[in-house]
């Protein structure tokens, strides 16, 4: 039993090892890193391209597709959360009288924070910008939630995907190319 478990672990490690699998591993890391999980895909792309410099463009394209797919997953999560809230509101159409009175009597409470100045500015900015705002989906700590918020706000899906892909492609091209320039191949 222990030997079969050990064999399974070695098989799994061999499956995701960059030199042997390469592009599929980059794809998986890129998908996972574009969801709301804190993981960076740039080191995997750079490491692979450093080992196989002739694979620069395939690696960038695979990482872009994977990261865009992860952005689509985040978009779908935001859209699903919005739909779940709408269904909940349909079942609970009126606020409890005590809740409404409490919110009116206690400004600055949770209800006000949800409708606060920064929330309204971000909401208005994203509505004004629309799908082109997702050109910023490549930004660390901001990009993944931005995709989810685009889904929550029900921005047009295909334009969002296009802008996500453009931003992510630019990031991988610039970052990987820049790292290769900073850390060139030894002669």
């Amino acid at each position: 039993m222990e030997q079969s478990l050990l064999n399974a672990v070695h098989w799994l490690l061999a499956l995701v090892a960059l030199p042997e699998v390469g592009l599929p591993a980059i794809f998986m890391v890129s998908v996972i890193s574009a969801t709301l999980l804190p993981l960076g895909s740039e080191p995997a792309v750079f490491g692979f391209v450093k080992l196989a410099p002739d694979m620069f463009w395939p690696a960038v394209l695979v990482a872009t597709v994977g990261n865009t797919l992860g952005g689509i997953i985040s978009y779908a999560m935001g859209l699903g959360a919005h739909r779940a809230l709408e269904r909940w509101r349909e079942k609970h159409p009126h606020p409890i009288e005590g809740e409404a009175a409490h919110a009116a009597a206690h400004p600055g409470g949770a209800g006000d924070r949800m409708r606060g100045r920064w929330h309204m500015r971000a909401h208005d900015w994203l509505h004004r910008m629309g799908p082109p705002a997702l050109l910023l989906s490549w930004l660390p700590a901001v990009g993944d939630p931005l995709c989810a918020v685009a889904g929550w706000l029900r921005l047009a899906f295909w334009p969002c995907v296009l802008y996500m892909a453009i931003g992510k492609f630019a990031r991988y091209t610039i970052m990987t190319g820049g790292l290769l320039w900073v850390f060139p191949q030894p002669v």
Side-chain angles (χ1 to χ4, degrees):
M1 178 70 173
E2 287 182 28
Q3 185 61 34
S4 64
L5 180 62
L6 188 59
N7 288 341
V9 169
H10 284 294
W11 175 82
L12 181 62
L13 290 174
L15 179 68
V16 296
L18 282 175
E20 284 81 16
V21 177
L23 294 178
I26 287 174
F27 179 80
M28 290 305 296
V29 168
S30 297
V31 169
I32 292 169
S33 71
T35 60
L36 299 176
L37 299 174
L39 177 69
S41 57
E42 292 82 4
V45 175
F46 173 68
F48 178 73
V49 171
K50 190 73 172 161
L51 292 173
D54 58 321
M55 296 296 287
F56 178 86
W57 289 113
V60 166
L61 291 174
V62 166
T64 299
V65 170
N67 214 247
T68 302
L69 179 59
I72 291 169
I73 291 168
S74 294
Y75 178 98
M77 289 168 47
L79 182 61
H82 188 272
R83 288 180 177 163
L85 179 64
E86 285 178 341
R87 284 192 300 274
W88 184 84
R89 284 184 175 166
E90 286 173 4
K91 293 180 181 178
H92 304 88
H94 302 289
I96 300 170
E97 289 178 28
E99 249 181 71
H102 178 76
H106 295 87
D112 275 359
R113 282 194 299 272
M114 290 302 292
R115 292 176 207 77
R117 177 173 49 125
W118 293 109
H119 175 266
M120 291 309 297
R121 281 187 181 178
H123 182 272
D124 292 346
W125 176 81
L126 198 51
H127 265 292
R128 186 173 56 252
M129 289 295 295
L134 291 174
L135 284 171
L136 301 176
S137 67
W138 65 271
L139 288 170
V142 175
D144 300 334
L146 187 62
C147 295
V149 171
W152 174 270
L153 295 176
R154 295 176 292 174
L155 297 181
F157 177 74
W158 288 112
C160 284
V161 170
L162 176 67
Y163 286 109
M164 272 188 244
I166 292 169
K168 291 169 185 290
F169 176 77
R171 172 187 77 198
Y172 283 116
T173 303
I174 292 167
M175 288 187 81
T176 305
L179 285 171
L180 288 173
W181 181 71
V182 172
F183 302 105
Q185 290 283 15
V187 180

